[in-house]
């Protein structure tokens, strides 16, 4: 049986923070995706390769079996919906939170209290829709693909829903965090069919990731 594996990762923090987990599973990747233009990277295990894709595309590659497994943020998984994906391990990496932010001086509490219609710019439509619906706040959601912080500065929106880690991006743009919606970390996602057909090869890696993630806490 073909037990070769393809792992989907995005470059940047997810690649960087997955490397130690791979090493804990005895797998090393020698190419640096920031320097190389290669999209398919070999590893020290001839039967395992890494494909470099956009962070928000990881669940799609794994869902369709183009990759057997991958690492994706909870933010990305919630927007994707998670169909066809088994999510066995919270890897506790690439941690941040999803929050509501507004320009300093904007009275968010009374805007919400008075039942005003809030314009919210975000990449995370599903999470934002559910969050405001649960609070009974009327919102007009404006979909953006990045640089959400700019929205309120140029009058596109009153508020944004975005990821925050150190808070320095918000501060640099005179925005304040007014609500934390949820904590975010990245998870291991595995194609459901591969889990059955390639179990022998996948299971020890999943277990090594699990142990490494636990010892990182
Ligand atoms: O960058 P690209 O458009 O290719 O895709 P991406 O932004 O989805 O990928 P990437 O690599 O930036 O993020 C991958 C995953 O890392 C996300 O899906 C999150 O789960 C997780 N993560 C952890 C973060 C952050 N921390 C984070 N701080 N993703 C993005 N940010 C951004 C945030 O959107 C904001 O613009 O960093 C800025 C805030 O950071 P602070 O430190 O200034 O608060
Ligand atoms: Mg980014």
């Amino acid at each position: 049986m073909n037990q070769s594996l393809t792992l989907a990762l995005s470059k940047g923090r997810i690649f960087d923070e997955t490397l130690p987990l791979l090493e804990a599973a005895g797998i090393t990747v020698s190419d640096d995706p920031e320097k190389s233009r290669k999209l398919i990277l070999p590893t020290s295990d001839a039967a395992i390769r890494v494909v470099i894709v956009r962070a928000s595309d990881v669940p799609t590659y794994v869902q369709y079996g183009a990759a057997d497994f991958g690492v994706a943020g909870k933010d990305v998984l919630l927007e994707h919906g998670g169909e066809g994906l088994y999510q066995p391990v919270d890897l506790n990496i690439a941690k941040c939170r999803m929050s509501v932010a507004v320009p300093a001086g904007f009275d968010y509490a009374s805007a919400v209290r008075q039942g005003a219609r809030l314009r919210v710019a975000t990449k995370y439509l599903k999470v934002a829709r559910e969050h405001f619906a649960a609070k009974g706040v009327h919102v007009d959601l404006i979909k953006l693909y990045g640089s959400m912080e700019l929205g309120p500065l140029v009058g596109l929106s009153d508020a944004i829903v975005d990821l925050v880690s150190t808070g320095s991006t918000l501060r640099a743009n005179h925005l304040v965090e007014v609500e934390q919606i949820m904590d975010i970390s990245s998870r291991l996602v595995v194609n459901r069919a591969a889990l059955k057909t390639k179990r022998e090869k996948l299971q020890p890696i999943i277990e090594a990731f699990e142990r490494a993630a636990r010892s990182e806490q």
Side-chain angles (χ1 to χ4, degrees):
M1 207 198 310
N2 173 16
Q3 294 261 316
S4 66
L5 295 178
T6 299
L7 169 65
L9 296 176
S10 51
K11 56 180 172 182
R13 64 191 111 222
I14 289 193
F15 182 87
D16 298 344
E17 296 187 38
T18 302
L19 276 192
L21 302 176
L22 282 168
E23 263 157 42
I27 303 158
T28 53
V29 187
S30 38
D31 291 88
D32 175 355
E34 300 295 343
K35 295 192 187 120
S36 154
R37 288 177 184 274
K38 277 195 244 173
L39 295 176
I40 301 181
L41 312 178
T43 73
S44 54
D45 182 333
I48 303 176
R49 61 181 185 170
V50 174
V51 292
I52 301 296
V53 305
R54 282 298 286 266
S56 45
D57 290 334
V58 166
T60 307
Y61 278 82
V62 177
Q63 171 187 9
Y64 289 98
D68 299 294
F69 61 144
V71 176
K74 184 179 176 186
D75 49 312
V76 163
L77 289 167
L78 287 171
E79 290 305 308
H80 171 268
E83 303 102 85
L85 304 177
Y86 172 59
Q87 300 181 28
V89 194
D90 181 348
L91 298 172
N92 259 303
I93 60 169
K95 293 209 249 184
C96 57
R97 54 193 185 270
M98 197 178 297
S99 297
V100 182
V102 299
F106 179 85
D107 192 351
Y108 179 70
S110 39
V112 164
R113 207 170 35 239
Q114 290 160 8
R117 235 190 140 80
L118 214 60
R119 281 179 311 152
V120 179
T122 187
K123 185 167 156 184
Y124 308 102
L125 291 182
K126 280 194 195 173
V127 174
R129 188 176 299 115
E130 277 170 33
H131 173 71
F132 290 108
K135 289 169 60 78
V137 176
H138 299 288
V139 287
D140 291 318
L141 293 175
I142 302 167
K143 167 82 182 182
L144 289 178
Y145 291 88
S147 301
M148 269 78 81
E149 295 87 357
L150 184 61
L153 307 184
V154 294
L156 179 66
S157 68
D158 304 309
I160 60 171
V161 168
D162 195 9
L163 302 176
V164 180
S165 54
T166 60
S168 57
T169 307
L170 291 183
R171 274 192 298 280
N173 293 292
H174 312 289
L175 298 172
V176 285
E177 198 176 359
V178 285
E179 246 176 342
Q180 298 191 2
I181 302 177
M182 64 175 77
D183 287 325
I184 300 285
S185 57
S186 285
R187 283 138 195 257
L188 183 65
V189 293
V190 183
N191 175 272
R192 287 196 177 271
L195 190 67
K196 297 197 189 92
T197 58
K198 301 182 179 181
R199 181 149 219 141
E200 247 170 88
K201 184 84 180 156
L202 269 170
Q203 196 60 36
I205 301 174
I206 296 174
E207 282 166 16
F209 274 36
E210 223 158 26
R211 278 192 303 274
R214 225 182 297 130
S215 68
E216 282 297 307
Q217 280 175 23

